[in-house]
Amino acid sequence: MLRIIIINGPNLNLLGRREPEIYGEDTFEDFMIHLKGKFVDSDVELTYFQSNHEGELLDKLHEVGFHYDGIILNAGAYTHTSVALADAISGIETPVIEVHISNVHKRESFRHHSYVSSVAEGIIIGFGLRGYELAVEYFL
Ligand code: DQA
């Protein structure tokens, strides 16, 4: 049984309501139901965690980062600001796939740099919620 966790950072709790022209109209809770359904016959356990607080994201990475098989991380705006997040990813053993719903390279220049990318196993950007699905497929 593969253990995979999706960790979403700040403001991603507002998916479905937040700037739907950029992030779509689905809530993440609805998407999780779809995702679990899609992989129901695979030997995988999918968990979801969201926090608006940087320290809570670090705590979660430390908690799962030595015994989970994969972490799918959308750190939201902390992607572009947090050295602490990059250090946490370097310090744990579980591989991290960085996901962004929108194509950050088409957007403001402050979204073009990611502290996460250089410590991530791979990056999936701009495919909407489908990116999380692709990340699960990679780990499988
Ligand atoms: C995001 C892109 C970030 O720049 C932004 O701050 C987010 C969401 C995305 O999934 O497209 O909160 O990570």
Side-chain angles (χ1 to χ4, degrees):
M1 164 78 70
L2 223 57
R3 284 217 278 179
I4 295 176
I5 185 167
I6 296 174
I7 301 180
N8 274 345
N11 300 309
L12 291 163
N13 54 311
L14 294 181
L15 278 180
R17 284 188 287 165
R18 169 196 189 197
E19 302 179 89
E21 65 289 355
I22 298 176
Y23 298 112
E25 290 180 356
D26 299 329
T27 67
F28 207 80
E29 288 68 23
D30 284 345
F31 174 71
M32 275 309 289
I33 293 170
H34 157 81
L35 197 67
K36 285 184 175 173
K38 177 157 180 162
F39 293 105
V40 73
D41 293 328
S42 307
D43 200 21
V44 61
E45 178 193 275
L46 293 169
T47 321
Y48 172 52
F49 176 79
Q50 189 276 332
S51 176
N52 293 321
H53 304 276
E54 188 174 4
E56 285 184 6
L57 296 170
L58 302 182
D59 289 345
K60 185 52 79 174
L61 287 167
H62 298 171
E63 182 193 318
V64 299
F66 293 91
H67 59 283
Y68 272 57
D69 301 294
I71 297 170
I72 301 169
L73 175 67
N74 183 347
Y78 290 141
T79 305
H80 317 299
T81 62
S82 179
V83 175
L85 206 57
D87 284 350
I89 296 166
S90 299
I92 60 176
E93 287 169 1
T94 304
V96 171
I97 304 284
E98 175 182 2
V99 168
H100 298 286
I101 298 166
S102 64
N103 180 352
V104 285
H105 297 289
K106 267 187 179 172
R107 302 179 64 194
E108 304 95 321
S109 58
F110 63 81
R111 295 185 203 278
H112 297 178
H113 177 260
S114 163
Y115 283 102
V116 175
S117 297
S118 58
V119 288
E121 171 121 348
I123 307 164
I124 300 172
I125 291 177
F127 294 101
L129 294 177
R130 187 84 218 286
Y132 294 91
E133 221 167 288
L134 296 169
V136 173
E137 273 166 20
Y138 167 77
F139 281 127
L140 284 175

